[in-house]
Amino acid sequence: MLTRLGPVLAIGLLTAPVAFGLAGTILPAFGFLPALGGTGFSLAPLMALAGEPAIVYSALMSLVTGLVTTLVSLGVVMLFTAAWSGTRAFARVQHLISPLLSVPHAAAAFALAFLIAPSGLLARMISPELTGWHRPPDLLVVHDPMGLAMMAGLVVKEIPFLLLVTLAALPQVHPARTRALIAAMGYGRIGGFVFGLWPQIYPQIRLPVFAVIAFATSVVDVAAILGPTTPPPLAVRLVGWMNDPDLSMRFLASAGALLQLAVTAAAIGIWIVLEKLTARLRERCACAGLRLRGDAPVRWTAFGLMLLSALTIFAGLATLALWSFAGLWQFPDALPASFELRNWARVLPHLLDPLLTTLIVGLVSTAVATAIAILCLAREDEMGRPPGRGALRLIYLPLIVPQVAFLFGLQLLFILIGSVATMTALILAHLVFVLPYAYLCLKDPWRAFDRRYDQLAAGLGKAAWRRFLLIRLPMMTRPVLTVAAIGFSVSIGLYLPTLLIGAGRLTTVTTEAVALASGGNRRVIGIYAFLQMMLPAIGFAVATLVPALIFRRHRDMQV
Amino acid sequence: MNSRLTEAGLFLDRVTIALDGREIVTLTRRVAPGAVLTVMGPSGAGKSTLLAYVGGFLDPAFTASGRAYVDDVEITALKPEARHMGILFQDPLLFPHMSVGGNLMFALPQEVRGRRARRERMCRALEGVGLAGLEERDPATLSGGQKARVALARVLASAPRALLLDEPFSKLDAALRAQMRELVFAKARESGLPVLLVTHDVADAQAAGGDIVEIGG
Amino acid sequence: MRRTVLSLALMALGAVPALADAMNPDPRKWDEVLAGARGETVYFNAWGGSQNINAYIDWAGGELMQRYGVTLKHVKLEDTATAVTTVVAEKAAGRDTAGTVDLIWINGENFAAMKRQGLIMAPGWAEELPNWSYVDVENKPTIRTDFTIPVDGLESPWGMAKLVFFYDSARTDADALPQDADGLLEWAKANPGRFSYPQPPDFIGSSFLKQVLAEKIADRTLLQQPVDEASFDAVTKPLFDYLDALNPLMWRSGRAYPQNYPAMKQLLADAELDIIFAFNPAEASSAVANGELPDTVRSFTFPGGTLANTHFLTIPYNAAAKAGALVAANFLLSPEAQARKQDPAIWGDPTVLALGKLDADDRARFDAIDLGVATLRPDELGPALDEPHPSWMERIETEWKRRYGVAN
């Protein structure tokens, strides 16, 4: 049976690259890499790592970034959901935030940088009238040593992600009924939610939260665009060592990747301790019967923060678009002196190759991932049960192991078998990240399908494959296309996998944009970031419009 | 044993269904063509599980023993699609991505060949439930009663060997319910189909007029 | 032994053609080179951080395809070292033919590293290229000596570079501009936060360090020798004393640095910086032409001299498309390509050719170029300081990183 292949392919595609990649990273970290003359084991790479200036500072910064980012974004999401879920304002903000999920991290980071830099749009809007600034103030706002800009950039991107996973978990705990019940006991909105609903929701979103910690502790693109530079966070330094002309630096890079693994593990460990502490605190408050009714300031703060994070990205993206058409635009002018198409005309010819690669890799990896996810779910239908918790953890593996920690080894593997920078290798690398999202996003709508349709069709004498092709798939058109759009946006946003496996020869819109970031040419960055944002948006538009068009005469197939 | 071989209809021979070693249904019954066997019992007693067993889509969590026959043919080991058990659920479950006519055409057996012949059969099936001319309509635009009729027409169009009814009237309002009962049982008799009806409504059982089996409780 | 097993395995997998020893094309038999090049794809590894340059390379690719049937693919690098890494990795993996890098934009330490490790197509081929006859070997000594390393025909000259400073005359008083490194420090005291340099190891940033070193070192001839570890601290003390004084007076108080020249250019446009510098005298005019800088930007240099060098193209020993790479290098050396490159509206990179060696038509191409208001005339560029031996750059970069790169 074809469906039997589903789980095998999924598990193989997710675990094999991670396992081989980790091996390819860990062995060189202990001096073993025969191709470079490392035939024995030694602690020399780790010693060299310890001798790197300020390595502890870099590692700590990564650790703190991961924890603070997760804490702030989860806090905002929790408070906002607590205070506003079920209201019309909540629905509005949810609609505002959802599209932000598809904005690649790099584009969001650029958006923030263009907004808050001393010469950014915010300063231009209020200068010189309010500030008296005729030239940008000498303030270290972006690339600040504390990493605040970097954390802000991560927070505005993780909020939409965590909000959407929370929303997916919400219906299973019957929020309306439970809220009414708790309110009847006299609890405030936020307190009631935190005591009564959050403990049921949190276990369901715990793995995504871990994924956020892992991502934020090891992020490269956002850190390069917004993060400190003297010294940069750990992952950025690793990639630097990786690209050093002195190949023996690979040993150091591998040792660093091992440290990265430890940093991420430590962050998750600290988080688990925090979970325990806050759970105990919550229980104590709940047992004390604290009603927490005067929560209006917190409610409005949560609302304000949520709105701020969304508007920041939108305003930043608008600034990016503005820059892409800007002629000379001097400080403190709020608008460019002229608008021109020259920037686009200049960049477009160079865009074709990366754009083509982006589309091919995105579409193929998404198609394969969606197909495998469907096979897995169809297999579950046959088996009559969802996979155990263990299998689910495996699906999260590529999202929780820091990318740098296994991509180094994976790149080495591809180099050794001579297939680095081939389309196949790149698609495979993207698949590792697209597949988890495809599976996780498809499973709920897939399982929500009313199985009686299938039984009915069987009663009408239709074989399994016809039922699948003529009933199940058409009825699942909308969720399948939505999942494909999500997968496509994940693929477009992938920076490090593309950089390392594409090895500079296969570039996508995202790697080009980050490469150009160092050049600081705002017009060109604007164009690339604008595209980065548009491609996923087009994907979602297709996912919405195509079913609407196909099923325009079938009312129950509309939204 | 031998007597069975000469008789048509649905025959359940020492059917036992268990969950985690606990027996929930045990049954040996014969349903003659055109007759109705009503299975009654409280919610969760395993009524629908029995239907799922006969239909061939029992959840793997259950274990079942015994045999089921239709018109002398054993169906116990057949795939659901090879059994030709027409099912009606409490919801009409019209395929939302097909038109009313499309739903019926989908149900017609493959043996009915040719576009024109299939269309004709489809139109006749709609006429048979008093809905002539609605074939181009989107199912979503039909009334509740119309949907129930289309669902009936659809199951009959598939030329089933028996009918499995899973509380098919429970979601209809009182007036419609009586109408539909009459229609469904009349059609079953007309086509000579053995009917297995699962319900917790005594009125259903009375209207069916056949044997009643109580399970569970 | 292990290596043998590995390469056997690689061969078995078909990753490497079994017979490795392909003959190198001979540029003296140019017709054969042209014939071999047709249909080849040349992966040109070149820094890709500037749209002007990318557009120029793109144009060259179009011409190469049309004239010689050679496909030029620009592999855009953030750092040329990446290309060197790739070749080193391929050599380590035993991939001695069909390498993935065919042509590299290179000079200085990267060239020194490749030459030292035998990673360049040999024997010397650059001086056999047909267009070599136009090259200004006589007046441009850096064409045959790259950062004190003899070129030996292992790289073909592409363009000339000289350290030049830019300022916006609408904002900054031209009379107060610094005349040397010490003057720059004084100027920074008077204008805190308005000067910076790209964070080493960025090429331009490191060049600034070398400029200061060349000015401040007691005995400049030491820079022509490899670094002597024993005396390094003493010899470079004036440089680091200078930086200790300068850094706190810089943009963001020296706690952050622009990443490279284009970032610095943007900061000049935003009025965050008042004095920036580049390795290309025409950069400012080119940026004015592109609307990136206002037309009030002007150039200046130090009367005592600034660093000057040449940048080159080279072909790795294991390149897959050697003939195609030779054709590309030769085309990029042609008067037509060089003149286009020198036009500030295109790129503005000064030519390596001697105008006196060109025929009248080709010379006219150069004469027609409008160098732009912001570009200094060749006689205003001031004396050239020699590049130090590449080991200096590596060594002061490491020292810089140790002292300032992890300041927080």
Side-chain angles (χ1 to χ4, degrees):
Chain A
M1 286 295 280
L2 195 60
T3 51
R4 208 166 283 186
L5 276 176
V8 177
L9 277 175
I11 302 287
L13 278 172
L14 294 179
T15 53
V18 178
F20 279 120
L22 277 177
T25 302
I26 292 171
L27 291 178
F30 290 100
F32 184 82
L33 183 53
L36 282 184
T39 49
F41 286 91
S42 85
L43 290 176
L46 289 173
M47 307 284 273
L49 181 69
E52 274 294 313
I55 191 71
V56 177
Y57 187 91
S58 290
L60 276 180
M61 183 153 46
S62 296
L63 184 82
V64 171
T65 303
L67 289 173
V68 171
T69 299
T70 315
L71 204 61
V72 173
S73 32
L74 187 64
V76 170
V77 167
M78 181 186 80
L79 291 177
F80 177 70
T81 314
W84 297 94
S85 69
T87 66
R88 207 186 305 169
F90 187 82
R92 288 223 178 110
V93 173
Q94 181 191 335
H95 279 132
L96 190 68
I97 297 256
S98 304
L100 293 182
L101 186 67
S102 70
V103 176
H105 277 88
F110 284 127
L112 187 67
F114 277 32
L115 210 54
I116 64 168
S119 56
L121 193 66
L122 283 184
R124 285 169 193 262
M125 304 260 272
I126 56 169
S127 298
E129 292 81 6
L130 293 179
T131 57
W133 295 335
H134 287 274
R135 43 196 305 179
D138 189 12
L139 298 174
L140 191 42
V141 176
V142 173
H143 301 302
D144 58 293
M146 303 262 290
L148 295 179
M150 169 174 62
M151 289 184 220
L154 285 166
V155 165
V156 292
K157 251 311 277 177
E158 299 309 340
I159 282 181
F161 174 66
L162 288 175
L163 181 67
L164 291 182
V165 294
T166 305
L167 286 176
L170 206 53
Q172 297 161 44
V173 299
H174 310 294
R177 274 186 278 157
T178 318
R179 206 166 31 233
L181 187 79
I182 298 174
M185 296 178 201
Y187 279 91
R189 235 188 123 89
I190 292 183
F193 182 90
V194 172
F195 296 149
L197 285 165
W198 188 248
Q200 301 175 59
I201 295 172
Y202 184 72
Q204 299 184 56
I205 65 165
R206 197 168 178 228
L207 284 174
V209 168
F210 285 1
V212 170
I213 300 177
F215 185 83
T217 46
S218 63
V219 63
V220 174
D221 48 359
V222 177
I225 296 163
L226 294 172
T229 52
T230 56
L234 185 58
V236 178
R237 292 180 78 175
L238 297 189
V239 175
W241 294 333
M242 202 61 188
N243 287 332
D244 198 284
D246 183 356
L247 213 67
S248 62
M249 291 291 270
R250 268 180 191 251
F251 290 106
L252 181 65
S254 290
L258 198 62
L259 177 62
Q260 176 68 64
L261 206 56
V263 165
T264 302
I268 292 180
I270 294 173
W271 185 264
I272 291 173
V273 173
L274 283 177
E275 280 176 356
K276 296 231 160 78
L277 291 177
T278 48
R280 199 168 297 168
L281 182 69
R282 191 192 61 231
E283 276 162 27
R284 188 167 295 179
C285 294
C287 288
L290 291 182
R291 291 312 196 250
L292 302 173
R293 244 175 295 181
D295 59 6
V298 184
R299 286 215 312 268
W300 286 104
T301 310
F303 189 79
L305 287 174
M306 190 55 98
L307 209 58
L308 180 69
S309 81
L311 292 183
T312 301
I313 303 213
F314 280 118
L317 292 175
T319 317
L320 288 171
L322 212 53
W323 267 107
S324 77
F325 293 104
L328 189 64
W329 188 2
Q330 287 185 281
F331 193 88
D333 304 341
L335 281 176
S338 62
F339 287 96
E340 35 190 60
L341 290 170
R342 184 165 54 168
N343 307 320
W344 278 89
R346 216 171 236 263
V347 173
L348 272 179
H350 310 282
L351 264 173
L352 285 180
D353 264 3
L355 197 59
L356 205 62
T357 311
T358 311
L359 288 176
I360 292 174
V361 173
L363 291 175
V364 174
S365 63
T366 300
V368 175
T370 311
I372 293 179
I374 290 177
L375 286 182
C376 283
L377 289 161
R379 179 71 184 152
E380 283 176 34
D381 290 343
E382 284 174 10
M383 303 287 289
R385 61 186 153 79
R389 286 189 68 84
L392 199 66
R393 287 221 177 102
L394 281 184
I395 282 169
Y396 267 100
L397 198 63
L399 307 185
I400 286 182
V401 178
Q403 294 183 2
V404 275
F406 69 93
L407 284 173
F408 280 9
L410 198 60
Q411 186 204 33
L412 202 63
L413 189 76
F414 279 131
I415 290 177
L416 287 178
I417 62 174
S419 62
V420 75
T422 59
M423 213 49 141
T424 320
L426 192 57
I427 288 170
L428 212 59
H430 275 227
L431 205 49
V432 173
F433 298 95
V434 175
L435 184 52
Y437 284 104
Y439 177 83
L440 294 171
C441 296
L442 190 57
K443 73 176 164 45
D444 287 334
W446 188 269
R447 288 177 192 155
F449 179 80
D450 191 335
R451 297 288 297 275
R452 293 177 304 169
Y453 280 110
D454 192 55
Q455 300 173 354
L456 219 149
L460 299 179
K462 304 297 174 184
W465 65 271
R466 300 192 72 156
R467 303 202 295 271
F468 188 78
L469 287 181
L470 295 176
I471 304 297
R472 188 71 178 260
L473 276 187
M475 286 181 71
M476 300 300 290
T477 306
R478 190 177 293 276
V480 165
L481 284 179
T482 305
V483 162
I486 291 172
F488 186 58
S489 74
V490 168
S491 167
I492 288 172
L494 287 177
Y495 170 68
L496 201 58
T498 316
L499 181 74
L500 292 179
I501 307 301
R505 300 180 68 194
L506 289 175
T507 59
T508 61
V509 175
T510 297
T511 53
E512 291 278 289
V514 179
L516 286 164
S518 62
N521 184 335
R522 298 213 184 99
R523 293 164 184 85
V524 180
I525 292 173
I527 290 171
Y528 277 90
F530 186 67
L531 268 177
Q532 263 201 308
M533 161 185 83
M534 283 314 290
L535 287 176
I538 293 171
F540 279 98
V542 169
T544 315
L545 291 179
V546 164
L549 209 63
I550 299 181
F551 299 120
R552 65 187 178 281
R553 301 185 53 202
H554 300 273
R555 207 176 62 200
D556 283 353
M557 293 297 292
Q558 313 290 331
V559 179
Chain B
M1 282 297 268
N2 276 349
S3 62
R4 169 185 58 74
L5 291 172
T6 60
E7 290 187 46
L10 178 67
F11 180 51
L12 302 178
D13 185 11
R14 282 165 292 170
V15 169
T16 303
I17 305 173
L19 177 63
D20 300 329
R22 188 176 61 88
E23 263 179 34
I24 48 177
V25 180
T26 312
L27 191 68
T28 302
R29 282 285 172 151
R30 183 186 310 284
V31 190
V36 182
L37 172 67
T38 307
V39 180
M40 294 200 62
S43 307
K47 303 186 303 272
S48 297
T49 311
L50 179 66
L51 275 198
Y53 169 77
V54 180
F57 28 83
L58 191 64
D59 193 295
F62 294 93
T63 49
S65 63
R67 289 156 188 226
Y69 300 84
V70 176
D71 298 342
D72 298 341
V73 182
E74 183 177 351
I75 59 169
T76 326
L78 293 183
K79 285 184 178 177
E81 60 264 30
R83 299 184 180 202
H84 297 286
M85 297 284 122
I87 311 165
L88 280 181
F89 292 105
Q90 52 187 318
D91 301 297
L93 298 179
L94 301 180
F95 301 124
H97 58 295
M98 301 176 180
S99 65
V100 167
N103 267 277
L104 265 68
M105 304 266 272
F106 179 71
L108 284 176
Q110 237 169 330
E111 290 74 47
V112 183
R113 290 185 191 279
R115 247 180 83 79
R116 179 172 295 181
R118 289 180 74 83
R119 269 198 82 79
E120 221 164 80
R121 281 281 286 273
M122 178 266 287
C123 290
R124 236 186 301 141
L126 271 183
E127 267 172 46
V129 294
L131 293 176
L134 292 192
E135 61 269 16
E136 293 304 329
R137 291 275 288 272
D138 173 10
T141 63
L142 302 183
S143 73
Q146 288 173 321
K147 283 182 191 168
R149 282 158 185 265
V150 174
L152 174 64
R154 180 174 64 179
V155 74
L156 293 173
S158 73
R161 294 189 198 138
L163 275 188
L164 306 178
L165 308 183
D166 191 354
E167 312 214 16
F169 318 118
S170 64
K171 282 201 175 166
L172 300 171
D173 60 48
L176 259 172
R177 192 179 305 171
Q179 250 183 48
M180 271 312 287
R181 268 190 206 122
E182 215 168 287
L183 184 62
V184 169
F185 295 133
K187 287 285 176 188
R189 264 194 304 277
E190 192 183 304
S191 319
L193 292 173
V195 178
L196 186 59
L197 168 67
V198 152
T199 183
H200 61 261
D201 184 347
V202 184
D204 283 352
Q206 286 164 350
D211 293 351
I212 298 177
V213 181
E214 295 266 358
I215 63 167
Chain C
M1 188 57 208
R2 258 177 236 264
R3 274 288 301 284
T4 324
V5 174
L6 181 67
S7 33
L8 277 176
L10 288 175
M11 274 195 267
L13 285 169
V16 175
L19 281 173
D21 196 24
M23 292 287 285
N24 284 343
D26 183 353
R28 277 166 299 192
K29 299 172 186 160
W30 193 246
D31 287 341
E32 287 177 20
V33 173
L34 285 177
R38 190 161 289 278
E40 284 191 327
T41 298
V42 174
Y43 285 95
F44 181 19
N45 284 237
W47 181 68
S50 161
Q51 282 302 307
N52 292 350
I53 302 176
N54 295 352
Y56 175 78
I57 292 174
D58 221 46
W59 166 81
E63 296 298 309
L64 280 165
M65 171 48 82
Q66 204 184 333
R67 298 182 195 189
Y68 308 108
V70 173
T71 308
L72 190 73
K73 292 252 190 207
H74 182 186
V75 179
K76 298 190 188 75
L77 306 179
E78 270 184 88
D79 186 348
T80 302
T82 314
V84 185
T85 312
T86 309
V87 180
V88 174
E90 287 174 355
K91 186 170 191 185
R95 189 165 174 173
D96 290 331
T97 56
T100 60
V101 180
D102 298 306
L103 192 63
I104 309 179
W105 180 13
I106 198 166
N107 74 355
E109 58 165 350
N110 289 312
F111 172 69
M114 287 191 79
K115 189 183 176 195
R116 190 173 59 237
Q117 299 178 62
L119 299 176
I120 298 176
M121 180 168 96
W125 42 269
E127 303 196 356
E128 312 293 343
L129 293 175
N131 286 329
W132 175 263
S133 54
Y134 306 121
V135 173
D136 189 4
V137 199
E138 294 75 14
N139 300 308
K140 299 186 169 80
T142 52
I143 285 176
R144 276 187 164 146
T145 312
D146 183 6
F147 286 50
T148 75
I149 307 289
V151 170
D152 296 339
L154 294 175
E155 49 180 359
S156 168
W158 194 22
M160 298 299 294
K162 188 165 193 307
L163 196 65
V164 179
F165 297 85
F166 308 130
Y167 67 104
D168 185 347
S169 61
R171 270 202 319 268
T172 309
D173 178 10
D175 295 333
L177 292 172
Q179 301 285 306
D180 53 22
D182 286 327
L184 181 63
L185 183 59
E186 290 309 313
W187 183 90
K189 279 180 189 151
N191 302 279
R194 299 300 171 194
F195 176 78
S196 191
Y197 51 88
Q199 181 167 354
D202 173 80
F203 181 67
I204 305 288
S206 301
S207 297
F208 176 76
L209 303 185
K210 287 186 290 184
Q211 170 73 29
V212 175
L213 180 64
E215 285 194 43
K216 303 294 289 183
I217 196 169
D219 177 6
R220 205 177 276 176
T221 58
L222 287 178
L223 297 179
Q224 299 304 307
Q225 321 292 328
V227 173
D228 171 32
E229 266 313 313
S231 61
F232 178 80
D233 285 344
V235 168
T236 57
K237 186 168 184 303
L239 167 66
F240 291 105
D241 286 348
Y242 179 91
L243 293 177
D244 285 343
L246 177 67
N247 286 359
L249 300 170
M250 295 200 311
W251 182 74
R252 307 289 187 255
S253 308
R255 291 191 297 156
Y257 296 82
Q259 295 215 322
N260 50 26
Y261 168 72
M264 223 165 35
K265 177 169 62 182
Q266 184 65 52
L267 290 171
L268 180 67
D270 291 342
E272 294 212 32
L273 294 181
D274 281 345
I275 292 181
I276 67 166
F277 53 93
F279 237 125
N280 176 351
E283 247 308 319
S285 292
S286 160
V288 170
N290 287 326
E292 294 172 290
L293 289 177
D295 57 10
T296 44
V297 166
R298 296 290 180 273
S299 308
F300 70 98
T301 63
F302 291 165
T306 53
L307 285 184
N309 66 41
T310 302
H311 46 98
F312 300 84
L313 302 168
T314 197
I315 303 172
Y317 82 105
N318 67 344
K322 284 179 180 147
L326 283 171
V327 170
N330 187 57
F331 172 72
L332 291 170
L333 194 56
S334 67
E336 181 188 358
Q338 288 274 317
R340 187 179 173 89
K341 184 162 66 75
Q342 186 158 335
D343 184 348
I346 309 285
W347 174 358
D349 192 45
T351 183
V352 294
L353 304 183
L355 297 194
K357 295 185 182 177
L358 304 182
D359 62 33
D361 285 353
D362 283 333
R363 204 160 41 235
R365 293 177 194 270
F366 283 91
D367 291 341
I369 297 172
D370 175 11
L371 288 180
V373 284
T375 310
L376 297 173
R377 289 195 313 274
D379 57 320
E380 296 171 320
L381 279 172
L385 296 184
D386 286 337
E387 285 279 355
H389 186 273
S391 59
W392 284 96
M393 175 127 142
E394 284 173 38
R395 193 61 186 82
I396 57 176
E397 277 173 1
T398 317
E399 187 62 17
W400 188 93
K401 272 191 266 186
R402 194 182 66 74
R403 286 169 182 256
Y404 312 109
V406 291
N408 296 292

